[in-house]
Amino acid sequence: IFFRISSSPSHIKMAKHNFMYDLVVIGAGSGGVRAARISAGHGAKVALIEPQMHHGPPYFSALGGTCVNVGCVPKKLMVFGSHMLHDMHYAKHYGWNVPEGITHNWTTLMANKDKEISRLNGIYGNMLKNAGVELMEGWGSLVDANTVAIKSDRAGDKPDKTITGNKILLAPGGWPFIPDLPGKELCITSNEAFYLKDCPKKIVIVGGGYIAVEFACIFKGYGADVTQLYRGPMFLRGFDDDIRRHLYNEMKEGLGIDVRLETNPAKVEKQPDGSLLLTTEKGDTIATDIVMFATGRKANTAHLGLDKVGVELNPDGAIKVDEYSKSNIDSIYAVGDVTNRINLTPVALHEGHCFADTLFGGKDRRPNHEHVAAAVFSQPPISGVGLTQEQAAKKHKKVAVYRSSFRPMLHTMTGANTRALMKILVDMETDKVIGVHMNGPDAAEIVQGIAIAVKMGATKADFDATIGIHPSSAEEFVTMRTASYYLVDGEKLDKLP
């Protein structure tokens, strides 16, 4: 294999040992790839194990992990496409003569999406090989604290080969979870949703997280009749309550998605014509073409051999790690969704990079999970960084809440029934901005920039001193001067006492 020694000042000589590799990584997702590549750049001899090198069934994920193959990237491509019918409708109000009866070719969408993901698989492979990482195709599992077995057949009795490493990094990600209910075998998850041969005319999506909300908007954009079921009182738990309610209204009133809260499925049955019938616990029935469960993902720890080595798990089944991503076994580390800290691609990248710099780069880097910005690519999208209003009320004695709701400028001429919502939360004792949230066009693009300011500890005075870009929605974040209300000892007040 190609073994590159870094010439940078940060390079440290690898500790002497009798193992085949300095590092063995199981899982070529965001965290695993970043850790392998950076470790190799620091001079480590690295092996990276992944079940398949190219996307698609039966394993779905491949080089690049969930994000590249059956997650962020294909999802965002499908989000782009789902907007376009709306855009063409809006174009009419700007004088464009858009033909009636425009149709969509789902096969073309899927083929182009697959082509792009294949391109990315190739880029990841070349990038790793150029970094000096040895790629191995197969299923990796622990034999002992320094030995990994590799099988081409996951169910096989004997491994095709075994390799040893001074350190082992577990980064196999997560896997979609479907609750146990009659007819679960008739349902799909996000994995299969990316490989549907046709866009369903009717689909029921069960769940209330990122994936459920995003796919509800995606399928609606392509013309499907969408029903979304969520067991709780409001979806997207963990986001600001005000933002969640605003998006709920946008999806129901603006998009026409049938969102049913506090509703659980009881069973799914196949009908004589091949369609499905979902029955809720309330006794209601919904006829549909597809039932998609987006009810969470679980740490992909099965078949890793963790019990053989005694790797400790959290109650939720995720690998328990310390602040340096180390398990209870000194030679075994874990990053990404398999640890269930913050299950986002950029967080896994950060954890993998910190791991590599600490173990092989001569740096002391612990992952920092504070002020991590996030977005949901719904229609319209939401994004936020820092504390939600609910969290701020519990953590801070006095909070000023700046809130603005308005019709985006684009829609002053389209007449679309949509509004944007923007919020700033300020700790009144320090004037620090402790939370920023938005539901509206380009929310992710806007909040990403603001996240830098929040991470740096910007004050409301800093925001006020910033001159806005006009005309833009983003300028609203630097022009809100008067607090809409206050939170004092957790109580909402219109005026300060």
Side-chain angles (χ1 to χ4, degrees), residues 298-301 306 311-321 336-341 343:
K298 292 192 176 295
N300 200 10
T301 54
L306 302 182
V311 175
E312 292 182 0
L313 301 179
N314 288 318
D316 58 12
I319 297 174
K320 186 177 181 180
V321 295
D337 291 7
V338 78
T339 66
N340 197 28
R341 286 176 280 185
N343 297 340

Side-chain angles (χ1 to χ4, degrees), residues 53-70:
M53 297 294 132
H54 299 282
H55 71 96
Y59 309 133
F60 294 101
S61 188
L63 281 178
T66 297
C67 177
V68 168
N69 296 278
V70 283

Side-chain angles (χ1 to χ4, degrees), residues 452-465:
I452 301 171
V454 174
K455 187 78 172 178
M456 293 176 69
T459 63
K460 183 61 168 63
D462 292 324
F463 275 51
D464 292 344

Side-chain angles (χ1 to χ4, degrees), residues 201-222:
K201 290 183 174 61
K202 295 181 179 181
I203 185 169
V204 175
I205 299 176
V206 183
Y210 290 71
I211 299 171
V213 169
E214 289 172 338
F215 267 103
C217 295
I218 286 169
F219 281 116
K220 184 65 179 180
Y222 287 111

Side-chain angles (χ1 to χ4, degrees), residues 14-326:
M14 296 300 112
K16 291 185 178 180
H17 55 72
N18 295 319
F19 302 109
M20 297 166 65
Y21 298 91
D22 295 308
L23 173 66
V24 175
V25 181
I26 298 178
S30 301
V33 166
R34 177 62 63 89
R37 184 171 63 83
I38 300 302
S39 295
H42 286 315
K45 184 179 181 182
V46 182
L48 176 58
I49 306 165
E50 174 65 29
Q52 63 181 22
M53 297 294 132
H54 299 282
H55 71 96
Y59 309 133
F60 294 101
S61 188
L63 281 178
T66 297
C67 177
V68 168
N69 296 278
V70 283
C72 327
V73 174
K75 177 270 305 281
K76 191 70 180 287
L77 294 174
M78 292 174 73
V79 167
F80 287 142
S82 69
H83 287 177
M84 290 178 180
L85 184 59
H86 299 294
D87 293 341
M88 285 183 276
H89 172 71
Y90 300 148
K92 295 177 182 178
H93 298 275
Y94 282 84
W96 290 98
N97 295 315
V98 180
E100 297 295 332
I102 291 176
T103 60
H104 181 261
N105 190 312
W106 183 265
T107 301
T108 299
L109 170 68
M110 290 291 104
N112 288 338
K113 181 269 297 181
D114 288 347
K115 182 180 178 181
E116 173 58 13
I117 304 309
S118 294
R119 186 184 72 86
L120 293 175
N121 291 152
I123 286 175
Y124 270 79
N126 290 331
M127 178 175 62
L128 288 163
K129 290 172 185 176
N130 291 338
V133 176
E134 184 174 357
L135 282 170
M136 299 182 181
E137 189 167 1
W139 297 92
S141 61
L142 299 174
V143 176
D144 58 42
N146 296 98
T147 307
V148 174
I150 303 174
K151 298 179 181 178
S152 54
D153 180 3
R154 192 177 194 178
D157 294 330
K158 295 182 179 180
D160 297 283
K161 65 186 295 187
T162 58
I163 59 175
T164 59
N166 187 40
K167 302 295 181 184
I168 295 173
L169 178 65
L170 304 175
W175 194 255
F177 167 74
I178 298 181
D180 219 2
L181 82 165
K184 64 180 290 187
E185 72 282 354
L186 301 173
C187 306
I188 69 168
T189 68
S190 55
N191 284 347
E192 294 80 15
F194 287 113
Y195 293 93
L196 292 175
K197 295 192 179 302
D198 299 291
C199 181
K201 290 183 174 61
K202 295 181 179 181
I203 185 169
V204 175
I205 299 176
V206 183
Y210 290 71
I211 299 171
V213 169
E214 289 172 338
F215 267 103
C217 295
I218 286 169
F219 281 116
K220 184 65 179 180
Y222 287 111
D225 182 358
V226 180
T227 303
Q228 182 180 353
L229 311 181
Y230 180 53
R231 63 184 179 180
M234 183 54 64
F235 55 37
L236 294 177
R237 184 177 59 187
F239 282 87
D240 185 272
D241 283 355
D242 201 5
I243 296 290
R244 296 160 70 196
R245 287 191 296 269
H246 188 268
L247 177 62
Y248 169 78
N249 289 327
E250 289 285 320
M251 289 173 62
K252 280 186 71 73
E253 304 302 324
L255 294 182
I257 295 173
D258 182 6
V259 183
R260 304 187 190 184
L261 303 174
E262 298 183 314
T263 304
N264 258 334
K267 63 180 179 179
V268 179
E269 301 169 290
K270 193 163 189 176
Q271 301 303 289
D273 63 357
S275 65
L276 301 176
L277 185 70
L278 181 146
T279 303
T280 72
E281 290 181 351
K282 298 176 183 178
D284 298 328
T285 58
I286 307 171
T288 185
D289 299 321
I290 290 176
V291 175
M292 173 182 164
F293 273 82
T295 44
R297 296 171 65 88
K298 292 192 176 295
N300 200 10
T301 54
H303 310 291
L304 281 180
L306 302 182
D307 53 335
K308 294 179 182 178
V309 187
V311 175
E312 292 182 0
L313 301 179
N314 288 318
D316 58 12
I319 297 174
K320 186 177 181 180
V321 295
D322 66 11
E323 58 186 348
Y324 288 97
S325 300
K326 186 173 76 171

Side-chain angles (χ1 to χ4, degrees), residues 453-489:
V454 174
K455 187 78 172 178
M456 293 176 69
T459 63
K460 183 61 168 63
D462 292 324
F463 275 51
D464 292 344
T466 302
I467 297 174
I469 299 172
H470 183 75
S472 70
S473 294
E475 70 178 311
E476 196 74 12
F477 279 122
V478 297
T479 58
M480 286 188 268
R481 293 289 188 267
T482 305
S484 303
Y485 52 89
Y486 303 89
L487 307 172
V488 180
D489 294 324

